[in-house]
Amino acid sequence: MRIPILKLYEYLLITIQVELDDRTAIQFQEDLLDKIHETGAKGVVIDLTTVDMIDSYIAKILDDVVKMSALLGAKVVLTGIRPAVAITLIDLGINLKGVPTSLDLEKGLEKLQQELEG
Amino acid sequence: METQASVKIRNEWDIVQARQLGRELSKEMGFGQVDQARITTAISELARNIYLYAQNGEIDVEAFGKVGRIGLKIISTDQGPGISDIRLVMQDGYTTSGGLGAGLPGVKRLMDDFKIHSQEGRGTEIVAIKWLR
Ligand SMILES: Nc1ncnc2c1ncn2[C@@H]1O[C@H](COP(=O)(O)OP(=O)(O)OP(=O)(O)O)[C@@H](O)[C@H]1O
Ligand SMILES: [Mg+2]
């Protein structure tokens, strides 16, 4: 299974709408980096509104993808993290330090726009 | 109430199956959103540990009642290499696979009760319970 990556102006938008199994998550990581490279996108929003569970493995993949994207010159914002998911991440002792987040997709795009223009 | 289900863990897809069981049972039992997420996450951590360190094993989830209390119990069993130093693996950040080392200490915090039995060369059994408030 592959997660679709949409291009909108200089941004890439991803809405994760499937259950994230390990391989899909790894594939997504690769696909996103390829797409950043190919399009020269400067900003990426990954929307997690429908994701009901993030375990340590997926958290690590998300954290890594943010850092790898930065190396390619793209800023990633995670949006729509559910309250229940935020609570379980804290229980797991995972603080996605240095990972920019926003409440929803719209705010995520605004954040990118401010940072890229300002 | 007595509902029980199990999934054999042999590959990555089985981890997803095990999560699904936890999701369904916790919802059916009336756990709130946050506890549903806690239970599903705990199952995912235990199932992945089986897959990574023991290659195969089993996750059982069951609803059970005990003197006026209802709980959901997760049992993770494998016949893998076992864990020689349990105190060590329960430390945040300890990992032998380049992970975050968050799984086992995390499961303990996500759930209300947590017991681990392991014998080197024989395997590991972990039992974790979440009580329905
Ligand atoms: N079922 C098991 N059988 C044998 N060893 C195990 C088992 N589960 C965990 N371990 C050992 O305990 C260590 C800690 O496990 P834990 O789940 O806390 O972290 P991790 O799996 O290394 O990383 P993370 O879960 O954060 O991705 C593992 O690295 C592994 O060495
Ligand atoms: Mg683990």
Side-chain angles (χ1 to χ4, degrees), chain A residues 42-106:
Chain A
K42 290 279 164 264
V44 178
V45 179
I46 302 177
D47 187 59
L48 302 167
T49 307
T50 62
V51 172
D52 71 350
M53 188 232 48
I54 293 180
D55 64 7
S56 60
Y57 184 86
I58 296 170
K60 182 167 193 301
I61 288 184
L62 288 172
D63 191 43
D64 287 349
V65 89
V66 172
K67 290 177 183 144
M68 292 169 179
S69 302
L71 289 175
L72 297 181
K75 196 161 181 66
V76 180
V77 180
L78 301 183
T79 63
I81 294 179
R82 293 189 188 186
V85 171
I87 292 169
T88 56
L89 283 173
I90 297 301
D91 283 346
L92 284 172
I94 294 170
N95 53 346
L96 291 170
K97 246 191 290 176
V99 176
T101 54
S102 283
L103 211 52
D104 56 36
L105 214 140
E106 199 180 336

Side-chain angles (χ1 to χ4, degrees), chain B residues 8-12 14 51 55-57:
Chain B
K8 291 237 187 313
I9 306 297
R10 286 153 310 196
N11 58 49
E12 288 117 318
D14 298 328
Y51 171 67
Q55 281 69 56
N56 56 72

Side-chain angles (χ1 to χ4, degrees), chain A residues 19-24 52-60 63 82-85 87-88 90-94, chain B residues 12-13 15-16 19-20 23 33-34 37-38 40-41 44-45 48 92 98-100 102-103 105-107 109-110:
Chain A
E19 165 95 39
L20 271 180
D21 64 81
D22 297 7
R23 283 201 209 171
T24 305
D52 71 350
M53 188 232 48
I54 293 180
D55 64 7
S56 60
Y57 184 86
I58 296 170
K60 182 167 193 301
D63 191 43
R82 293 189 188 186
V85 171
I87 292 169
T88 56
I90 297 301
D91 283 346
L92 284 172
I94 294 170
Chain B
E12 288 117 318
W13 315 112
I15 301 172
V16 174
R19 275 183 210 157
Q20 194 54 31
R23 217 178 248 128
Q33 296 260 320
V34 175
R38 286 190 169 113
T40 311
T41 307
S44 191
E45 296 295 347
R48 182 169 294 97
D92 279 299
L100 295 174
V107 172
R109 285 189 293 262
L110 289 164

Side-chain angles (χ1 to χ4, degrees), chain A residues 55-58 60 92 94, chain B residues 45-46 48-54 76-78 80-85 88-107 116 118 123-126:
Chain A
D55 64 7
S56 60
Y57 184 86
I58 296 170
K60 182 167 193 301
L92 284 172
I94 294 170
Chain B
E45 296 295 347
L46 295 173
R48 182 169 294 97
N49 281 356
I50 292 177
Y51 171 67
L52 285 178
Y53 309 116
S76 161
T77 39
D78 66 66
I83 296 168
S84 56
D85 188 343
L88 189 63
V89 299
M90 291 308 295
Q91 283 174 18
D92 279 299
Y94 177 80
T95 179
T96 56
S97 66
L100 295 174
L104 289 176
V107 172
I116 174 164
S118 191
T124 303
E125 183 188 69
I126 295 168

